[in-house]
Amino acid sequence: MHNILQMSSTSRSAFEALAARLAPALAARCAPRDVDLFLIRLESYFEDLYLPLVQLYGEYADFQHQFNALFEQMLDAYATRPEPLRLLDLERQFMPDWFQRPNLVGYVCYTELFAGTLAGVRDHVSYLRELGITYLHLMPILKPRPGASDGGYAVMDYRAVNPALGNMADLQALATELHASGISLCVDLVLNHTAKEHEWAQRAMAGDPEYLDYYYTFPDRALPDAYERTLPEVFPDFAPGNFSWYPEFAKSGRWVWTTFYDFQWDLNYTNPSVFRAMVDIMFFLANQGIDVLRLDAVPFIWKRLGTNCQNQPEVYLLIEAFRAVMRVVAPAVIFKAEAIVPPDFLLPYLGIKTTVGKQCELAYNNQLMVLLWSTLASRQVKLLTEVLHQMPTMLLGSTWITYVRNHDDIGWAVTDEDAAAVGENGFLHRQFLNQFYSGEFPGSFAKGALFQYNPVTHDTRISGTTASLAGLEAALAQQDDHEIDLAVRRILLLHSVIMTYGGVPLIYMGDELGLFNDRSYLSDSVKAEDNRWMHRPPMDWTKAKSRHDPNSIVGRIYNGFIRLITARKSARMLHCFGLIQPLWTDNSHVFALSRSNPMGHLLLLANFHEREQSIKADLLHFGGLRGNIKNILTEESLPAITDKYIHLEPYESLWLVGEQ
Ligand code: GLC
């Protein structure tokens, strides 16, 4: 193996020196075959680690010391990695596309809302299996600060589970059980900030110079004011500004950088000790059996004066370095970027236009989600088709997380340019969407609420569950069977697109049962000001009981999900390694998406209108379909072609495949 990989001579001598230095400790702690494996991986990923670190921290006086210390950490984590996880490492190295296969179907939930505790989740693994889930994202489970914690995104101890949910042994047991059921486990790693109660923050607050350097703090407003000139606000309503004054800080008081809530202190990644501390936490979680780390708010981890302090080039270098250490120590683990940013900045998180195969394996496709809701409101597919045309038609070594709803608000990421390209005014369209989904627009079927109205820019976002936004709540209140039917179809339509688009579809807990907005948060003082809680209802296990009743509303939704998931798993052309091409149709209400790879072609047709629609059957040829054509959602041959037209029922979607 040695010397086969191309490296610069500087890198190679750094690698050789390191390997020689590590050899005795490696030999003392690992079996000979494991020593070889470590060195092979280290050599493979050495430059991915070394070069970013030199760029980020090379100027530091103690760079060499930090660098050596990092390898001690790596060796330690590697030597203590449990045997079953080492096997998983090998398995996934042999199967590097494991997260790109169509059998991956995700589910995301808050542990406490789904099943009370981690042990409770174990009791419900059978429910997940029945639904066909193979990837489970548990919302923040690490120990949060007491009281308000931004839904757990203010962590005070990364090595402890939230005591209300269980302990580390429960987490390990759950991971083991999930693995035995073919389900991978994803957890949040809040790496942009810690809770102000975290030990590092406490030490900084007490004036310890070592920890003072873990955060961004300022004695006066000079720098904060300079930064604020170009910084946006994430929560203008309840956490305005990006800095918070702590009078007790180091006795004389300091301003602390707090992008989100005042109790979430941004970490200072210009300090290599912070990088190493986070690496240690990653190793710790990996060795508990976590498969996917969701890098929370990752665009914010590097600051630069005069910018919006998001997506700075150093963010991508940090990810590259984080990924390289994980590849050496725990290659079964992958990263998911939570980067809700415009496509030009988002794509580099997947390695596009930066370093292919060296960034995150997964990233949320926020635009697809936003466009689905936009299309549902307007009934016009032109914006969806136009914008998807600009997305990459193929990804290598990475893929999307596609989703309809999640725990956050929906921000209308429709740019003025994109809107103009289809003859719309971006500002007016966003206003329309806000009015539509808050239910104010005449004739709207949605029951949502505005989130974080900014009076200066008039920007605002939307809260609400899938079912409530898709019209089921209103239809049921009116006891209108026709509207109920349409709402059920809308829910399934949106999920049909995310199941075919390409990537890992992620179902938000309760959407498979059509759960409504939950207004109980209003009577909880810790949650009342944050209406994102309305779309975080507890799991309704009573409702779930009727999921097998085909005549119940719940049963119709649930069965629809089962049909989508089953069809997806059988469709090998949905493997991410393939083309994703939206096609223009001759009907402004019908969206078409062609998916193809060497294993075949699939054409998705999706009617975004409440009336029947038809499109010219010519499209089948553009989608690469020949011979007998069948809809794999129903396993029926396409009967609906008459006079060279394909007919679609209200909100119907077809997954068409031809003879192979
Ligand atoms: C992410 C989470 C969001 C949280 C924020 C701060 O964006 O999805 O819920 O408020 O990070 O941690």
Side-chain angles (χ1 to χ4, degrees):
M1 175 76 181
H2 287 254
N3 288 321
I4 295 175
L5 275 177
Q6 281 216 329
M7 272 196 233
S8 73
S9 55
T10 331
S11 303
R12 177 144 306 275
S13 44
F15 167 72
E16 302 287 354
L18 181 72
R21 205 177 56 76
L22 290 177
L26 258 174
R29 298 192 62 185
C30 304
R33 178 52 49 89
D34 289 334
V35 172
D36 290 341
L37 207 54
F38 185 87
L39 290 174
I40 290 170
R41 291 188 194 149
L42 187 60
E43 184 172 4
S44 307
Y45 294 101
F46 187 72
E47 282 204 320
D48 294 0
L49 177 57
Y50 182 62
L51 300 181
L53 289 182
V54 169
Q55 281 190 66
L56 290 164
Y57 305 120
E59 302 288 299
Y60 263 74
D62 70 342
F63 176 74
Q64 200 54 45
H65 162 76
Q66 293 276 359
F67 189 66
N68 291 342
L70 177 66
F71 285 94
E72 305 295 331
Q73 289 171 250
M74 289 169 68
L75 201 151
D76 197 53
Y78 179 73
T80 52
R81 185 148 170 85
E83 191 55 32
L85 299 177
R86 288 164 180 271
L87 271 180
L88 194 64
D89 288 335
L90 286 180
E91 198 180 311
R92 290 189 174 157
Q93 284 195 300
F94 283 123
M95 213 196 290
D97 65 339
W98 67 271
F99 58 92
Q100 298 175 307
R101 299 182 175 200
N103 72 322
L104 221 61
V105 176
Y107 192 82
V108 51
C109 62
Y110 285 91
T111 302
E112 59 276 35
L113 298 176
F114 181 63
T117 61
L118 292 173
V121 175
R122 276 180 77 186
D123 294 338
H124 287 98
V125 169
S126 55
Y127 176 83
L128 299 172
R129 288 177 59 157
E130 180 192 296
L131 185 57
I133 299 304
T134 46
Y135 167 113
L136 176 66
H137 172 193
L138 292 179
M139 295 294 291
I141 49 168
L142 302 181
K143 188 175 176 191
R145 71 188 291 270
S149 66
D150 187 19
Y153 286 105
V155 177
M156 67 180 282
D157 187 352
Y158 292 86
R159 289 167 201 275
V161 163
N162 180 348
L165 308 178
N167 56 33
M168 268 306 157
D170 295 329
L171 182 61
Q172 287 167 3
L174 175 63
T176 307
E177 172 137 359
L178 290 171
H179 285 157
S181 299
I183 302 175
S184 306
L185 179 59
C186 167
V187 301
D188 286 85
L189 180 60
V190 187
L191 79 175
N192 176 63
H193 44 262
T194 70
K196 72 178 170 61
E197 287 76 9
H198 191 284
E199 189 196 336
W200 305 336
Q202 291 293 300
R203 291 201 184 188
M205 181 93 104
D208 180 336
E210 189 184 340
Y211 289 92
L212 200 60
D213 207 20
Y214 269 49
Y215 298 92
Y216 291 98
T217 69
F218 310 90
D220 54 43
R221 282 297 305 183
L223 271 172
D225 283 343
Y227 278 110
E228 283 289 16
R229 261 171 236 135
T230 49
L231 278 177
E233 288 177 311
V234 178
F235 298 139
D237 271 12
F238 42 66
N242 287 273
F243 301 87
S244 306
W245 174 248
Y246 280 91
E248 67 277 35
F249 202 116
K251 296 209 174 72
S252 47
R254 288 180 89 84
W255 289 94
V256 181
W257 198 309
T258 56
T259 301
F260 296 87
Y261 282 97
D262 58 0
F263 50 74
Q264 289 163 305
W265 290 14
D266 288 42
L267 284 165
N268 169 17
Y269 281 93
T270 67
N271 175 357
S273 300
V274 171
F275 172 81
R276 286 202 300 107
M278 201 44 78
V279 163
D280 244 6
I281 291 169
M282 289 181 176
F283 290 161
F284 176 79
L285 293 173
N287 282 356
Q288 309 304 309
I290 304 304
D291 302 279
V292 183
L293 290 172
R294 172 187 182 274
L295 306 184
D296 180 66
V298 65
F300 297 84
I301 63 176
W302 197 274
K303 328 288 184 195
R304 174 166 284 112
L305 197 62
T307 71
N308 66 356
C309 296
Q310 293 179 40
N311 317 305
Q312 296 302 307
E314 290 82 355
V315 172
Y316 306 115
L317 291 175
L318 282 166
I319 296 175
E320 187 176 341
F322 279 134
R323 183 176 180 277
V325 291
M326 292 302 277
R327 289 278 121 175
V328 177
V329 172
V333 178
I334 59 172
F335 290 154
K336 171 163 70 168
E338 194 245 344
I340 310 303
V341 297
D344 282 354
F345 298 109
L346 174 60
L347 294 176
Y349 288 94
L350 289 174
I352 298 173
K353 296 188 188 140
T354 41
T355 39
V356 175
K358 298 182 181 183
Q359 295 285 315
C360 294
E361 285 80 2
L362 303 170
Y364 288 92
N365 195 329
N366 177 61
Q367 269 209 316
L368 176 65
M369 181 276 287
V370 165
L371 288 162
L372 287 175
W373 288 107
S374 158
T375 312
L376 204 62
S378 69
R379 281 87 159 166
Q380 299 290 330
V381 301
K382 58 185 179 181
L383 188 60
L384 174 68
T385 312
E386 170 69 28
V387 174
L388 292 184
H389 261 294
Q390 297 162 29
M391 284 203 181
T393 51
M394 189 158 95
L395 300 172
L396 284 172
S398 59
T399 194
W400 298 112
I401 290 285
T402 58
Y403 62 113
V404 171
R405 277 305 281 123
N406 66 7
H407 68 290
D408 278 328
D409 48 289
I410 306 177
W412 301 112
V414 173
T415 64
D416 292 344
E417 295 73 33
D418 289 340
V422 295
E424 298 275 350
N425 175 305
F427 178 76
L428 293 179
H429 185 62
R430 292 188 295 272
Q431 298 275 77
F432 158 70
L433 293 172
N434 284 318
Q435 287 181 9
F436 190 92
Y437 285 109
S438 58
E440 285 160 29
F441 194 81
S444 164
F445 47 73
K447 256 189 179 306
L450 297 181
F451 177 72
Q452 303 289 312
Y453 174 67
N454 183 329
V456 181
T457 58
H458 296 291
D459 274 347
T460 178
R461 286 118 73 177
I462 285 289
S463 287
T465 68
T466 296
S468 295
L469 296 179
L472 190 57
E473 189 179 341
L476 212 71
Q478 291 152 13
Q479 304 263 315
D480 182 332
D481 284 346
H482 177 63
E483 280 299 321
I484 290 173
D485 181 53
L486 292 181
V488 169
R489 286 164 176 261
R490 285 186 200 109
I491 295 170
L492 295 176
L493 175 76
L494 299 184
H495 285 91
S496 172
V497 182
I498 65 153
M499 295 273 175
T500 45
Y501 182 76
V504 184
L506 191 57
I507 299 166
Y508 186 64
M509 183 196 86
D511 282 353
E512 76 281 15
L513 306 176
L515 296 192
F516 299 150
N517 292 337
D518 170 22
R519 292 179 180 79
S520 64
Y521 76 98
L522 288 168
S523 49
D524 179 339
S525 61
V526 169
K527 297 176 177 168
E529 65 172 3
D530 187 342
N531 75 13
R532 288 178 300 172
W533 285 102
M534 73 193 270
H535 51 252
R536 300 168 185 172
M539 185 60 168
D540 190 336
W541 291 109
T542 313
K543 251 190 182 178
K545 284 195 187 129
S546 55
R547 68 187 186 276
H548 301 302
D549 171 2
N551 299 318
S552 68
I553 297 170
V554 169
R556 273 149 66 195
I557 301 173
Y558 186 81
N559 269 332
F561 272 74
I562 295 281
R563 228 177 325 121
L564 291 170
I565 293 169
T566 312
R568 173 183 158 86
K569 289 186 176 178
S570 73
R572 293 193 301 165
M573 60 290 268
L574 293 182
H575 189 294
C576 295
F577 196 78
L579 294 175
I580 309 173
Q581 281 172 323
L583 300 176
W584 289 103
T585 72
D586 61 323
N587 183 320
S588 62
H589 309 302
V590 179
F591 172 67
L593 180 77
S594 162
R595 292 297 323 277
S596 55
N597 67 20
M599 281 159 305
H601 302 273
L602 184 146
L603 180 68
L604 163 79
L605 297 179
N607 175 9
F608 275 84
H609 201 279
E610 58 265 61
R611 302 231 176 79
E612 255 189 43
Q613 301 294 327
S614 311
I615 63 158
K616 284 198 185 132
D618 302 0
L619 199 74
L620 296 174
H621 299 295
F622 293 110
L625 269 49
R626 314 250 178 281
N628 262 340
I629 291 164
K630 129 179 132 166
N631 174 14
I632 58 166
L633 285 178
T634 55
E635 283 301 327
E636 285 165 3
S637 297
L638 189 65
I641 303 186
T642 53
D643 305 329
K644 303 209 168 130
Y645 278 89
I646 303 173
H647 304 289
L648 292 107
E649 290 180 16
Y651 296 124
E652 187 181 23
S653 67
L654 305 173
W655 292 16
L656 303 179
V657 302
E659 272 167 11
Q660 304 298 321

